[in-house]
Amino acid sequence: MADPGERQGLLGDLRTLVMYLETRPELPVGEMARVEITYFPEGCDDRQEREVVRLAEALGTRPRWEGDHFVCDKWFGQAGYRVVSIPERVRRGGLAAVIPLRV
């Protein structure tokens, strides 16, 4: 989780992006454009899942499984905030597919 300074930095960067786009109407922002902040909880699977449930409650949404990921999100039109838990078995499987283990 970001400390308060990192959080303020990110929020400032988002405001800067908005101001930049507002002053440059020649830059296209199409109907398919999306802005998403994704938070990945740390810790064991149980801790990550509890964090998804807790944040879903704070967002006023419901957690759900999307394939192998446990997620919740809240969208404001084309901008959203997402929380994604990737279980250990998936993380291990993903690494094994990229970096073969040598025995």
Side-chain angles (χ1 to χ4, degrees):
M1 184 176 338
D3 66 36
E6 291 169 326
R7 178 185 172 92
Q8 287 307 309
L10 174 61
L11 296 176
D13 292 344
L14 289 170
R15 288 183 194 98
T16 300
L17 174 61
V18 168
M19 291 184 333
Y20 184 82
L21 292 173
E22 285 180 336
T23 61
R24 289 169 179 80
E26 71 277 12
L27 296 175
V29 179
E31 63 186 52
M32 297 303 290
R34 300 287 182 270
V35 175
E36 178 181 301
I37 292 177
T38 305
Y39 170 64
F40 296 93
E42 296 178 359
C44 67
D45 290 351
D46 288 342
R47 181 184 181 311
Q48 287 184 32
E49 288 182 20
R50 283 193 310 271
E51 185 73 345
V52 171
V53 170
R54 182 183 77 80
L55 294 172
E57 194 172 290
L59 292 167
T61 65
R62 299 182 133 196
R64 66 189 181 284
W65 285 97
E66 284 185 358
D68 289 329
H69 300 156
F70 191 52
V71 305
C72 67
D73 52 18
K74 176 109 175 162
W75 287 88
F76 304 89
Q78 293 171 263
Y81 180 86
R82 256 172 92 73
V83 182
V84 179
S85 168
I86 304 172
E88 177 71 26
R89 66 177 169 70
V90 175
R91 292 191 308 267
R92 274 196 325 262
L95 282 177
V98 176
I99 305 169
L101 298 177
R102 294 189 178 153
V103 182

